[in-house]
Structures are given as C-alpha cells and as structure tokens.
Coordinates of all heavy atoms in Angstrom, one line a residue:
M27 N 14.3 0.3 -14.2 CA 15.5 -0.2 -14.5 C 16.6 0.8 -14.7 O 16.2 1.9 -15.4 CB 15.4 -1.3 -15.5 CG 16.7 -2.0 -16.0 SD 16.5 -3.4 -17.0 CE 15.4 -4.3 -15.8
R28 N 17.7 0.6 -14.2 CA 18.8 1.6 -14.5 C 20.2 0.9 -14.9 O 20.4 -0.1 -14.2 CB 19.0 2.4 -13.2 CG 20.0 3.5 -13.3 CD 20.0 4.4 -12.0 NE 20.4 3.7 -10.8 CZ 21.7 3.5 -10.4 NH1 22.7 4.1 -11.2 NH2 22.0 3.0 -9.4
I29 N 20.6 1.2 -16.0 CA 21.8 0.7 -16.5 C 23.1 1.6 -16.3 O 23.1 2.8 -16.7 CB 21.8 0.4 -18.1 CG1 20.5 -0.2 -18.5 CG2 23.0 -0.4 -18.5 CD1 20.3 -1.7 -18.0
E30 N 24.0 1.1 -15.5 CA 25.1 2.0 -15.2 C 26.4 1.4 -16.0 O 26.8 0.3 -15.8 CB 25.4 1.8 -13.7 CG 26.6 2.7 -13.1 CD 26.7 2.6 -11.7 OE1 26.1 1.6 -11.0 OE2 27.5 3.2 -11.1
G31 N 27.0 2.4 -16.7 CA 28.2 1.9 -17.3 C 29.5 2.1 -16.4 O 29.7 3.3 -15.9
L32 N 30.2 1.1 -16.3 CA 31.4 1.2 -15.4 C 32.6 1.1 -16.3 O 33.3 0.1 -16.5 CB 31.4 0.0 -14.4 CG 30.2 -0.1 -13.4 CD1 30.1 -1.4 -12.7 CD2 30.2 1.1 -12.5
F33 N 32.9 2.3 -16.8 CA 34.2 2.3 -17.7 C 35.1 3.5 -17.2 O 34.6 4.4 -16.7 CB 33.7 2.6 -19.1 CG 32.9 1.5 -19.8 CD1 31.5 1.6 -19.6 CD2 33.4 0.4 -20.2 CE1 30.7 0.6 -20.1 CE2 32.7 -0.6 -20.8 CZ 31.2 -0.5 -20.7
P34 N 36.4 3.4 -17.4 CA 37.0 2.3 -18.2 C 37.3 1.0 -17.4 O 37.5 -0.1 -18.0 CB 38.4 2.8 -18.7 CG 38.7 3.9 -17.6 CD 37.4 4.4 -17.2
S35 N 37.2 1.1 -16.1 CA 37.4 -0.1 -15.4 C 36.4 -0.2 -14.3 O 35.8 0.7 -13.7 CB 38.8 0.1 -14.6 OG 39.1 -1.0 -13.8
P36 N 35.7 -1.4 -14.2 CA 36.2 -2.7 -14.7 C 35.6 -3.1 -16.1 O 35.9 -4.0 -16.6 CB 35.5 -3.7 -13.7 CG 34.3 -3.1 -13.3 CD 34.7 -1.6 -13.2
G37 N 35.0 -2.1 -16.7 CA 34.6 -2.3 -18.0 C 33.3 -3.1 -18.4 O 33.3 -4.0 -19.2
H38 N 32.3 -2.8 -17.7 CA 31.0 -3.5 -18.0 C 29.8 -2.7 -17.5 O 30.0 -1.7 -17.0 CB 31.0 -4.9 -17.4 CG 30.8 -4.9 -15.9 ND1 31.9 -5.1 -15.0 CD2 29.8 -4.7 -15.1 CE1 31.5 -5.1 -13.7 NE2 30.2 -4.8 -13.7
Y39 N 28.6 -3.1 -18.0 CA 27.4 -2.6 -17.6 C 26.8 -3.1 -16.3 O 26.7 -4.5 -16.3 CB 26.5 -2.5 -18.8 CG 26.9 -1.6 -19.8 CD1 27.5 -2.3 -21.0 CD2 26.7 -0.3 -19.9 CE1 27.8 -1.5 -22.0 CE2 27.2 0.5 -20.8 CZ 27.7 -0.1 -22.0 OH 28.2 0.6 -23.1
Q40 N 26.4 -2.3 -15.4 CA 25.8 -3.0 -14.2 C 24.2 -2.6 -14.3 O 23.9 -1.4 -14.6 CB 26.3 -2.2 -13.0 CG 25.7 -2.7 -11.6 CD 26.2 -4.0 -11.1 OE1 27.4 -4.3 -11.1 NE2 25.3 -4.8 -10.7
I41 N 23.4 -3.7 -14.2 CA 22.1 -3.5 -14.2 C 21.5 -3.3 -12.8 O 21.9 -4.2 -12.1 CB 21.2 -4.7 -14.8 CG1 21.9 -4.8 -16.4 CG2 19.9 -4.4 -15.0 CD1 21.4 -6.1 -16.9
H42 N 20.7 -2.3 -12.5 CA 20.0 -2.1 -11.3 C 18.6 -2.2 -11.5 O 17.9 -1.6 -12.5 CB 20.3 -0.7 -10.8 CG 21.8 -0.4 -10.5 ND1 22.4 -0.8 -9.4 CD2 22.8 0.1 -11.3 CE1 23.8 -0.4 -9.5 NE2 23.9 0.1 -10.7
F43 N 17.9 -2.9 -10.7 CA 16.5 -3.3 -11.0 C 15.8 -3.4 -9.5 O 16.4 -3.6 -8.5 CB 16.2 -4.4 -11.8 CG 16.9 -5.7 -11.2 CD1 16.2 -6.5 -10.4 CD2 18.2 -6.1 -11.5 CE1 16.8 -7.7 -9.8 CE2 18.8 -7.2 -11.1 CZ 18.1 -8.1 -10.1
C44 N 14.5 -3.2 -9.6 CA 13.7 -3.3 -8.4 C 13.7 -4.8 -7.9 O 13.2 -5.6 -8.7 CB 12.4 -2.7 -8.6 SG 11.2 -2.9 -7.2
D45 N 14.2 -5.1 -6.8 CA 13.9 -6.4 -6.2 C 12.9 -6.5 -5.1 O 12.9 -7.5 -4.4 CB 15.3 -6.9 -5.6 CG 15.9 -6.0 -4.5 OD1 15.1 -5.1 -4.2 OD2 17.0 -6.1 -4.1
Q46 N 11.9 -5.5 -5.3 CA 10.8 -5.5 -4.3 C 11.1 -5.7 -2.9 O 10.6 -6.4 -2.0 CB 9.8 -6.8 -4.7 CG 9.6 -6.9 -6.2 CD 8.8 -5.6 -6.6 OE1 8.1 -5.0 -5.9 NE2 8.9 -5.3 -8.1
C47 N 12.2 -4.9 -2.5 CA 12.8 -5.0 -1.2 C 11.7 -4.4 -0.1 O 11.8 -4.6 1.1 CB 14.0 -4.3 -1.1 SG 14.1 -2.5 -1.2
G48 N 10.9 -3.3 -0.5 CA 10.0 -2.6 0.3 C 10.5 -1.5 1.2 O 9.7 -1.0 1.9
I49 N 11.7 -1.1 0.9 CA 12.2 0.0 1.6 C 11.4 1.4 1.2 O 11.1 2.1 2.2 CB 13.7 0.2 1.3 CG1 14.5 -0.9 2.0 CG2 14.2 1.7 1.8 CD1 16.0 -0.9 1.6
C50 N 10.9 1.4 0.1 CA 10.1 2.5 -0.4 C 8.9 2.6 0.4 O 8.5 3.7 0.9 CB 9.8 2.5 -1.8 SG 9.2 0.9 -2.5
A51 N 8.2 1.4 0.6 CA 7.0 1.4 1.5 C 7.3 1.7 2.9 O 6.4 2.4 3.4 CB 6.5 0.0 1.3
E52 N 8.4 1.3 3.4 CA 8.6 1.7 4.8 C 8.8 3.2 5.0 O 8.5 3.7 6.1 CB 9.9 1.0 5.3 CG 9.9 -0.5 5.4 CD 11.3 -1.2 5.6 OE1 12.2 -0.5 6.0 OE2 11.3 -2.4 5.3
V53 N 9.4 3.9 4.1 CA 9.6 5.3 4.3 C 8.5 6.2 4.0 O 8.3 7.4 4.3 CB 10.9 5.9 3.6 CG1 12.1 5.1 4.1 CG2 10.7 5.7 2.0
C54 N 7.5 5.7 3.1 CA 6.4 6.5 2.7 C 5.5 7.0 4.0 O 5.0 6.3 4.7 CB 5.5 5.8 1.8 SG 4.0 6.6 1.3
P55 N 5.4 8.4 4.1 CA 4.8 9.0 5.2 C 3.3 8.7 5.3 O 2.6 8.9 6.3 CB 5.1 10.5 5.2 CG 5.4 10.7 3.7 CD 6.0 9.5 3.2
V56 N 2.7 8.4 4.1 CA 1.3 8.2 4.1 C 0.8 6.8 3.7 O -0.4 6.5 3.3 CB 0.6 9.2 3.0 CG1 0.8 10.7 3.6 CG2 1.2 9.2 1.7
E57 N 1.7 5.8 3.8 CA 1.5 4.4 3.5 C 0.8 4.2 2.1 O -0.2 3.5 2.0 CB 0.6 3.8 4.6 CG 1.3 3.9 5.9 CD 0.6 3.1 7.0 OE1 -0.4 2.7 6.9 OE2 1.1 3.2 8.2
A58 N 1.4 5.0 1.1 CA 0.8 4.9 -0.2 C 1.4 3.7 -1.1 O 0.9 3.5 -2.2 CB 1.1 6.2 -1.0
I59 N 2.3 3.1 -0.6 CA 3.0 1.9 -1.2 C 2.5 0.6 -0.6 O 2.7 0.3 0.6 CB 4.5 2.0 -1.4 CG1 4.8 3.4 -2.1 CG2 5.1 0.9 -2.2 CD1 6.3 3.6 -2.1
E60 N 1.7 -0.2 -1.4 CA 1.1 -1.4 -0.6 C 1.6 -2.6 -1.4 O 2.1 -2.7 -2.6 CB -0.3 -1.3 -1.1 CG -1.0 -0.1 -0.5 CD -2.3 0.3 -1.2 OE1 -2.7 -0.3 -2.3 OE2 -3.0 1.3 -0.8
L61 N 2.0 -3.7 -0.5 CA 2.3 -5.0 -0.9 C 1.2 -6.0 -1.2 O 0.3 -6.0 -0.4 CB 3.2 -5.6 0.1 CG 3.8 -7.1 -0.1 CD1 4.7 -6.9 -1.3 CD2 4.4 -7.5 1.3
K62 N 1.2 -6.4 -2.5 CA 0.1 -7.3 -2.9 C 0.8 -8.5 -3.8 O 1.4 -8.1 -4.8 CB -1.0 -6.7 -3.6 CG -2.2 -7.5 -3.7 CD -3.4 -6.9 -4.4 CE -4.5 -7.9 -4.6 NZ -5.5 -7.6 -5.5
D63 N 0.7 -9.6 -3.4 CA 1.3 -10.8 -4.1 C 2.7 -10.7 -4.4 O 3.2 -11.0 -5.5 CB 0.5 -11.0 -5.5 CG -1.1 -11.3 -5.2 OD1 -1.4 -12.0 -4.2 OD2 -1.9 -11.0 -6.0
G64 N 3.3 -10.2 -3.4 CA 4.9 -10.0 -3.6 C 5.3 -8.7 -4.3 O 6.6 -8.7 -4.5
I65 N 4.4 -7.9 -4.7 CA 4.8 -6.7 -5.6 C 4.3 -5.4 -4.9 O 3.2 -5.4 -4.5 CB 4.1 -6.9 -6.9 CG1 4.4 -8.1 -7.6 CG2 4.4 -5.6 -7.8 CD1 3.6 -8.3 -8.9
Y66 N 5.3 -4.5 -4.6 CA 5.0 -3.3 -4.1 C 4.5 -2.4 -5.2 O 5.0 -2.2 -6.2 CB 6.2 -2.7 -3.3 CG 6.5 -3.3 -2.2 CD1 7.4 -4.4 -2.1 CD2 6.0 -2.8 -0.9 CE1 7.8 -5.0 -0.9 CE2 6.3 -3.5 0.3 CZ 7.2 -4.5 0.3 OH 7.5 -5.2 1.4
R67 N 3.3 -1.8 -4.9 CA 2.6 -0.9 -5.9 C 2.3 0.5 -5.3 O 1.8 0.4 -4.1 CB 1.3 -1.5 -6.3 CG 1.5 -2.8 -7.2 CD 0.1 -3.4 -7.5 NE 0.2 -4.7 -8.2 CZ 0.4 -4.9 -9.5 NH1 0.6 -3.9 -10.3 NH2 0.5 -6.0 -10.0
I68 N 2.3 1.5 -6.1 CA 2.1 2.8 -5.6 C 0.5 3.1 -5.8 O 0.0 2.9 -6.9 CB 2.8 3.8 -6.3 CG1 4.3 3.7 -6.1 CG2 2.4 5.3 -5.9 CD1 5.2 4.4 -7.2
N69 N -0.2 3.5 -4.7 CA -1.6 3.9 -4.7 C -1.5 5.4 -4.9 O -1.3 6.2 -4.1 CB -2.1 3.6 -3.3 CG -3.7 4.0 -3.4 OD1 -4.1 4.7 -4.3 ND2 -4.5 3.4 -2.5
E70 N -1.8 5.8 -6.2 CA -1.7 7.2 -6.6 C -2.8 8.1 -6.0 O -2.7 9.3 -5.9 CB -1.7 7.4 -8.1 CG -0.4 6.8 -8.8 CD -0.2 7.3 -10.2 OE1 -1.0 8.1 -10.8 OE2 0.9 7.0 -10.7
E71 N -3.7 7.4 -5.5 CA -4.9 8.1 -4.8 C -4.4 8.7 -3.5 O -4.8 9.7 -3.0 CB -6.2 7.3 -4.5 CG -6.7 6.6 -5.8 CD -7.6 7.6 -6.5 OE1 -8.4 8.4 -5.9 OE2 -7.5 7.8 -7.7
E72 N -3.5 8.0 -2.9 CA -2.9 8.3 -1.5 C -1.7 9.2 -1.7 O -1.4 9.8 -0.7 CB -2.6 7.1 -0.8 CG -3.9 6.0 -0.5 CD -5.0 6.8 0.4 OE1 -4.5 7.6 1.2 OE2 -6.1 6.6 0.2
C73 N -0.9 8.9 -2.8 CA 0.5 9.6 -2.8 C 0.4 11.0 -2.8 O -0.5 11.6 -3.5 CB 1.0 9.1 -4.1 SG 2.7 9.7 -4.5
I74 N 1.3 11.7 -2.1 CA 1.4 13.2 -2.1 C 2.5 13.7 -2.8 O 3.0 14.8 -2.6 CB 1.4 13.6 -0.6 CG1 2.5 13.0 0.2 CG2 0.0 13.4 0.1 CD1 2.6 13.6 1.6
A75 N 3.3 12.9 -3.6 CA 4.4 13.2 -4.3 C 5.5 13.9 -3.7 O 6.1 14.8 -4.1 CB 4.0 14.1 -5.6
C76 N 5.8 13.4 -2.3 CA 7.0 13.9 -1.6 C 8.2 13.5 -2.1 O 9.2 14.1 -1.6 CB 6.6 13.6 0.0 SG 6.9 11.8 0.2
H77 N 8.3 12.3 -2.8 CA 9.5 11.8 -3.3 C 10.6 11.2 -2.1 O 11.7 10.9 -2.6 CB 10.2 12.8 -4.2 CG 9.4 13.3 -5.3 ND1 9.7 14.3 -6.1 CD2 8.3 12.8 -5.9 CE1 8.9 14.6 -7.0 NE2 8.0 13.6 -6.9
E78 N 10.0 10.9 -1.0 CA 10.8 10.3 0.0 C 11.2 8.8 -0.5 O 12.2 8.4 -0.2 CB 9.9 10.1 1.3 CG 9.6 11.4 2.0 CD 10.5 11.7 3.2 OE1 11.2 10.9 3.6 OE2 10.6 12.9 3.6
C79 N 10.3 8.2 -1.2 CA 10.6 6.9 -1.7 C 11.7 6.9 -2.7 O 12.6 6.0 -2.9 CB 9.3 6.2 -2.2 SG 8.5 7.3 -3.5
V80 N 11.6 8.0 -3.5 CA 12.7 8.0 -4.6 C 14.1 8.3 -4.0 O 15.1 7.5 -4.4 CB 12.4 9.4 -5.5 CG1 13.6 9.5 -6.5 CG2 11.1 9.2 -6.1
E81 N 14.1 9.0 -3.0 CA 15.5 9.2 -2.1 C 16.0 8.0 -1.6 O 17.1 7.7 -1.3 CB 15.2 10.2 -1.2 CG 15.0 11.7 -1.7 CD 16.2 12.1 -2.5 OE1 17.3 12.0 -2.0 OE2 16.0 12.9 -3.6
A82 N 15.0 7.2 -1.0 CA 15.4 6.0 -0.1 C 15.7 4.7 -1.1 O 16.3 3.9 -0.4 CB 14.1 5.6 0.9
C83 N 15.3 4.7 -2.2 CA 15.4 3.5 -3.0 C 17.0 3.1 -3.1 O 17.7 3.8 -3.7 CB 14.8 3.5 -4.3 SG 15.1 2.1 -5.4
P84 N 17.4 1.9 -2.6 CA 18.8 1.6 -2.6 C 19.4 1.4 -4.0 O 20.5 1.4 -4.3 CB 18.9 0.3 -1.8 CG 17.6 -0.2 -1.8 CD 16.6 0.9 -1.8
Q85 N 18.6 1.0 -5.0 CA 18.8 0.8 -6.4 C 18.7 2.1 -7.4 O 19.0 1.9 -8.5 CB 18.0 -0.4 -7.0 CG 18.1 -1.6 -6.1 CD 19.5 -2.3 -6.3 OE1 20.3 -2.0 -7.2 NE2 19.8 -3.1 -5.3
S86 N 18.2 3.1 -6.7 CA 17.8 4.4 -7.5 C 17.0 4.0 -8.8 O 17.2 4.3 -9.9 CB 19.1 5.1 -7.9 OG 19.8 5.5 -6.9
V87 N 16.0 3.1 -8.5 CA 14.9 2.7 -9.6 C 13.6 3.1 -9.3 O 12.6 2.8 -10.2 CB 15.1 1.2 -9.8 CG1 16.5 0.7 -10.5 CG2 14.8 0.3 -8.6
M88 N 13.4 3.9 -8.4 CA 12.2 4.6 -8.2 C 12.2 5.9 -9.0 O 13.0 6.8 -8.7 CB 11.8 4.9 -6.8 CG 10.4 5.5 -6.4 SD 9.0 4.5 -6.8 CE 8.9 3.7 -5.2
I89 N 11.4 6.1 -10.1 CA 11.6 7.4 -10.9 C 10.5 8.4 -10.6 O 9.5 7.9 -9.9 CB 11.6 6.8 -12.3 CG1 10.4 6.2 -12.8 CG2 12.8 5.9 -12.6 CD1 10.1 6.1 -14.2
I90 N 10.7 9.5 -11.2 CA 9.6 10.5 -11.1 C 9.1 10.7 -12.5 O 9.9 10.9 -13.4 CB 10.2 11.8 -10.5 CG1 10.8 11.6 -9.2 CG2 9.1 12.8 -10.5 CD1 11.5 12.7 -8.7
K91 N 7.8 10.6 -12.7 CA 7.1 10.6 -13.9 C 7.2 12.2 -14.4 O 6.9 13.0 -13.6 CB 5.8 10.2 -14.0 CG 5.8 8.6 -13.9 CD 4.3 8.1 -14.1 CE 3.6 8.4 -12.9 NZ 2.1 7.9 -12.9
G92 N 7.6 12.4 -15.6 CA 7.8 13.8 -16.0 C 6.3 14.5 -16.1 O 6.3 15.6 -15.9
E93 N 5.4 13.7 -16.5 CA 4.0 14.4 -16.7 C 3.3 14.9 -15.5 O 2.6 15.9 -15.6 CB 3.1 13.5 -17.6 CG 2.7 12.3 -17.0 CD 3.7 11.0 -17.2 OE1 4.8 11.3 -17.5 OE2 3.2 9.7 -17.1
D94 N 3.5 14.3 -14.4 CA 2.6 14.5 -13.3 C 3.5 14.6 -12.0 O 2.9 14.8 -10.9 CB 1.5 13.6 -13.1 CG 1.8 12.2 -13.0 OD1 2.9 11.9 -12.8 OD2 0.9 11.5 -13.0
D95 N 4.7 14.4 -12.0 CA 5.6 14.5 -10.8 C 5.4 13.3 -9.8 O 5.8 13.3 -8.7 CB 5.5 15.8 -10.1 CG 6.6 16.3 -9.3 OD1 7.7 16.0 -9.8 OD2 6.5 16.8 -8.1
M96 N 4.7 12.3 -10.2 CA 4.4 11.2 -9.4 C 5.6 10.1 -9.6 O 6.1 10.0 -10.6 CB 3.1 10.6 -9.8 CG 1.8 11.4 -9.5 SD 1.5 11.7 -7.8 CE 0.4 10.4 -7.5
P97 N 5.8 9.4 -8.5 CA 6.8 8.3 -8.5 C 6.2 7.1 -9.3 O 4.9 6.9 -9.5 CB 7.0 7.9 -7.0 CG 5.8 8.2 -6.5 CD 5.1 9.4 -7.1
A98 N 7.2 6.3 -9.8 CA 6.8 5.1 -10.5 C 7.8 4.0 -10.3 O 9.0 4.4 -10.2 CB 6.6 5.4 -12.0
K99 N 7.4 2.8 -10.1 CA 8.3 1.7 -10.0 C 8.0 0.5 -10.7 O 6.9 0.3 -11.3 CB 8.4 1.4 -8.4 CG 7.2 0.7 -7.9 CD 7.3 0.4 -6.5 CE 8.3 -0.7 -6.2 NZ 8.0 -2.1 -6.8
C100 N 8.9 -0.4 -10.7 CA 8.7 -1.8 -11.3 C 7.5 -2.5 -10.7 O 7.5 -2.7 -9.5 CB 9.9 -2.6 -11.3 SG 9.8 -4.3 -11.7
V101 N 6.6 -3.1 -11.5 CA 5.5 -3.9 -11.0 C 5.6 -5.4 -11.5 O 4.6 -6.0 -11.7 CB 4.1 -3.3 -11.1 CG1 4.0 -2.0 -10.3 CG2 3.8 -2.9 -12.7
L102 N 6.8 -5.7 -12.0 CA 7.0 -7.0 -12.5 C 6.2 -7.3 -13.9 O 5.6 -8.4 -14.0 CB 6.9 -8.1 -11.5 CG 8.0 -8.0 -10.5 CD1 7.6 -9.1 -9.4 CD2 9.3 -8.3 -11.0
C103 N 5.9 -6.3 -14.6 CA 5.0 -6.5 -15.9 C 5.6 -7.3 -16.9 O 5.0 -8.0 -17.7 CB 4.5 -5.2 -16.4 SG 5.9 -4.3 -17.2
G104 N 7.1 -7.4 -16.9 CA 7.8 -8.2 -17.9 C 7.9 -7.5 -19.2 O 8.5 -8.1 -20.1
E105 N 7.5 -6.3 -19.4 CA 7.7 -5.6 -20.7 C 9.2 -5.5 -21.1 O 9.5 -5.6 -22.3 CB 7.0 -4.3 -20.6 CG 6.8 -3.6 -22.0 CD 5.9 -4.3 -22.9 OE1 5.0 -5.0 -22.3 OE2 6.0 -4.2 -24.0
C106 N 10.1 -5.2 -20.1 CA 11.6 -5.1 -20.4 C 12.1 -6.4 -20.9 O 12.9 -6.3 -21.9 CB 12.2 -4.7 -19.1 SG 12.0 -5.8 -17.7
A107 N 11.6 -7.4 -20.4 CA 12.1 -8.8 -21.0 C 11.5 -8.9 -22.3 O 12.2 -9.6 -23.2 CB 11.7 -10.0 -20.1
A108 N 10.3 -8.5 -22.7 CA 9.7 -8.7 -23.9 C 10.4 -7.9 -25.0 O 10.6 -8.4 -26.1 CB 8.3 -8.3 -23.8
V109 N 11.0 -6.8 -24.6 CA 11.5 -5.9 -25.7 C 13.1 -6.1 -25.9 O 13.6 -5.6 -26.9 CB 11.2 -4.4 -25.5 CG1 9.8 -4.2 -25.5 CG2 11.9 -3.9 -24.2
C110 N 13.7 -6.7 -24.8 CA 15.3 -6.8 -24.9 C 15.6 -7.7 -26.2 O 15.3 -8.9 -26.2 CB 15.8 -7.4 -23.7 SG 17.6 -7.6 -23.8
P111 N 16.4 -7.1 -27.1 CA 16.8 -7.8 -28.4 C 17.8 -9.0 -28.1 O 18.0 -9.8 -28.9 CB 17.3 -6.7 -29.2 CG 17.8 -5.7 -28.4 CD 16.9 -5.7 -27.1
R112 N 18.4 -8.9 -26.9 CA 19.5 -10.0 -26.6 C 19.1 -10.9 -25.7 O 19.9 -11.7 -25.1 CB 20.7 -9.2 -26.2 CG 21.3 -8.4 -27.4 CD 22.6 -7.7 -27.0 NE 23.7 -8.4 -26.5 CZ 24.6 -9.1 -27.0 NH1 24.6 -9.1 -28.3 NH2 25.6 -9.8 -26.5
E113 N 17.8 -10.9 -25.2 CA 17.3 -11.7 -24.2 C 18.2 -11.7 -22.9 O 18.4 -12.8 -22.3 CB 17.2 -13.2 -24.8 CG 16.2 -13.3 -25.9 CD 16.0 -14.6 -26.5 OE1 16.8 -15.5 -26.0 OE2 15.1 -15.0 -27.3
A114 N 18.6 -10.5 -22.6 CA 19.5 -10.4 -21.4 C 18.6 -10.3 -20.2 O 19.1 -10.5 -19.1 CB 20.3 -9.1 -21.5
I115 N 17.3 -10.1 -20.3 CA 16.4 -10.1 -19.2 C 15.5 -11.4 -19.4 O 14.8 -11.4 -20.4 CB 15.6 -8.8 -19.1 CG1 16.5 -7.7 -19.1 CG2 14.6 -8.8 -17.9 CD1 15.7 -6.3 -19.3
I116 N 15.3 -12.1 -18.4 CA 14.4 -13.3 -18.5 C 13.5 -13.3 -17.2 O 14.0 -12.8 -16.1 CB 15.1 -14.6 -18.7 CG1 16.0 -15.0 -17.6 CG2 15.8 -14.7 -19.9 CD1 16.4 -16.4 -17.5
I117 N 12.3 -13.8 -17.3 CA 11.4 -14.0 -16.1 C 11.9 -15.2 -15.5 O 11.7 -16.3 -16.0 CB 9.9 -13.9 -16.5 CG1 9.6 -12.8 -17.3 CG2 9.2 -14.0 -15.3 CD1 9.7 -11.4 -16.7
S118 N 12.2 -15.1 -14.1 CA 12.8 -16.4 -13.4 C 12.3 -16.3 -12.0 O 12.2 -15.2 -11.4 CB 14.2 -16.5 -13.4 OG 14.7 -17.4 -12.6
K119 N 12.0 -17.5 -11.4 CA 11.7 -17.4 -10.1 C 12.8 -17.6 -9.1 O 12.8 -17.4 -8.0 CB 10.6 -18.7 -9.7 CG 9.3 -18.5 -10.2 CD 8.4 -19.6 -9.8 CE 7.0 -19.4 -10.0 NZ 6.3 -18.8 -11.0
E120 N 13.9 -17.8 -9.8 CA 15.3 -18.0 -9.0 C 15.6 -16.6 -8.5 O 15.5 -15.6 -9.3 CB 16.3 -18.7 -9.8 CG 16.0 -20.2 -10.0 CD 17.1 -20.8 -10.8 OE1 18.3 -20.6 -10.5 OE2 16.8 -21.6 -11.7
K121 N 16.5 -16.6 -7.4 CA 16.8 -15.3 -6.8 C 17.8 -14.6 -7.7 O 17.7 -13.4 -8.1 CB 17.3 -15.4 -5.5 CG 17.0 -14.3 -4.6 CD 17.3 -14.6 -3.1 CE 17.1 -13.4 -2.3 NZ 17.4 -13.5 -0.8
N122 N 18.9 -15.3 -8.1 CA 20.0 -14.7 -8.9 C 20.5 -15.7 -9.8 O 21.4 -16.5 -9.5 CB 21.1 -14.0 -8.0 CG 22.1 -13.3 -8.9 OD1 22.0 -13.4 -10.1 ND2 22.9 -12.7 -8.2
I123 N 20.1 -15.8 -11.0 CA 20.6 -16.8 -11.9 C 22.1 -16.6 -12.4 O 22.6 -17.5 -12.9 CB 19.7 -16.7 -13.3 CG1 19.8 -15.6 -14.1 CG2 18.1 -17.1 -12.9 CD1 19.2 -15.6 -15.5
A124 N 22.6 -15.4 -12.1 CA 24.0 -15.3 -12.3 C 24.9 -16.0 -11.3 O 26.1 -16.1 -11.6 CB 24.4 -13.7 -12.4
E125 N 24.4 -16.3 -10.2 CA 25.2 -16.9 -9.1 C 25.8 -18.2 -9.6 O 25.2 -18.9 -10.3 CB 24.4 -17.3 -7.9 CG 24.2 -15.9 -7.0 CD 23.3 -16.1 -5.9 OE1 23.0 -17.3 -5.5 OE2 23.1 -15.2 -5.1
G126 N 27.1 -18.4 -9.3 CA 27.7 -19.7 -9.6 C 28.4 -19.6 -11.0 O 29.1 -20.6 -11.3
K127 N 28.3 -18.5 -11.7 CA 28.9 -18.4 -13.0 C 30.5 -18.2 -12.7 O 30.8 -17.4 -11.7 CB 28.4 -17.2 -13.7 CG 27.3 -17.8 -14.6 CD 26.8 -16.7 -15.5 CE 25.7 -17.1 -16.5 NZ 25.3 -16.1 -17.4
Ligands
SF4_220 S1 11.5 0.8 -5.8 FE1 13.5 0.6 -4.8 S2 13.0 0.6 -2.5 FE2 11.1 0.2 -3.7 S3 10.9 -2.1 -3.6 FE3 12.0 -1.5 -5.6 S4 14.1 -1.5 -5.1 FE4 13.1 -1.5 -3.2
SF4_221 S1 6.2 10.1 -3.3 FE1 4.2 9.2 -2.9 S2 4.7 6.9 -2.8 FE2 6.6 8.0 -2.5 S3 7.0 8.4 -0.4 FE3 5.9 10.2 -1.0 S4 3.7 9.7 -0.8 FE4 4.8 7.8 -0.6

C-alpha cells in the first residue's frame, strides 16, 4: 500500500493499493508470480530478484524488501484493515465502494 499526499491542491491523500491486475506476472521473465484463487503471489524459489515487476506495477505497490532484495506484494491478508485506527480500509467484495459518492 502506498499513501500519496496531494497538497496543497487538491488537498487530500490518495491511496494506492494492489488490485491484483496481474501486470507484474505478465512481465516476470521467469514466471515467478503465480495466480491462485484470484491472488497473485511471488514464488521466491523461482524469483531472480530482477525487479522487472517493481518497475511495471502501475500502482507502485510492488516493494523491494530491505533484508534480501526480493520483491513483495499484497496477498490480501487483511492486516492493513485490522490495524487502521479509523476503519478507512475494509474488506469488501465490491469493486469500488467509493463509487457513487
Ligand atoms: S503488485 Fe502491482 S502489478 Fe502486481 S497485481 Fe498488484 S497492482 Fe498489479
Ligand atoms: S523480481 Fe522476481 S517476481 Fe519480480 S519480475 Fe523479477 S523474477 Fe519475477
């Protein structure tokens, strides 16, 4: 997840998150990103840490782990929703709950 501050104008925070679009899997040269049950996961046994997926992610939410230089992404674990003190993140099956506001 990446929070982008848009100040002074228009003056709000933009949340960028993984929408499981699969672009990272498409660009991976060794097919190390696998789709299972609607979630793209990195197979670290296959990954060669080339960071092509990091460059290609349209949301810039594929990160590089400091400890081993390997990429990491959202796997819909829900931990972010669990820790948010303002309940700004909820688990929903709807595509975009903000639509229509
Ligand atoms: S990490 Fe980026 S490219 Fe990969 S599925 Fe998520 S949003 Fe798409
Ligand atoms: S860093 Fe790993 S998962 Fe990402 S594109 Fe390269 S080999 Fe594939």
Side-chain angles (χ1 to χ4, degrees):
M27 181 159 301
R28 183 169 65 85
I29 312 294
E30 181 183 13
L32 300 171
F33 296 96
S35 177
H38 70 257
Y39 293 100
Q40 177 80 45
I41 302 173
H42 299 274
F43 57 88
C44 174
D45 57 6
Q46 310 299 331
C47 71
I49 289 174
C50 50
E52 287 173 19
V53 302
C54 178
V56 294
E57 298 182 3
I59 302 177
E60 302 159 352
L61 178 64
K62 193 175 176 203
D63 299 328
I65 302 170
Y66 286 91
R67 295 176 186 272
I68 299 164
N69 180 344
E70 293 200 355
E71 299 286 313
E72 300 295 328
C73 178
I74 55 173
C76 69
H77 302 166
E78 295 261 344
C79 55
V80 178
E81 293 294 319
C83 176
Q85 304 291 338
S86 296
V87 292
M88 180 72 85
I89 63 164
I90 300 170
K91 292 186 285 177
E93 65 270 25
D94 59 7
D95 207 37
M96 296 289 271
K99 70 178 289 300
C100 168
V101 291
L102 293 178
C103 71
E105 195 62 27
C106 53
V109 301
C110 178
R112 290 175 58 86
E113 297 181 354
I115 306 168
I116 61 168
I117 307 295
S118 170
K119 287 190 169 31
E120 291 182 43
K121 209 167 180 184
N122 186 354
I123 62 167
E125 278 177 4
K127 275 190 178 176

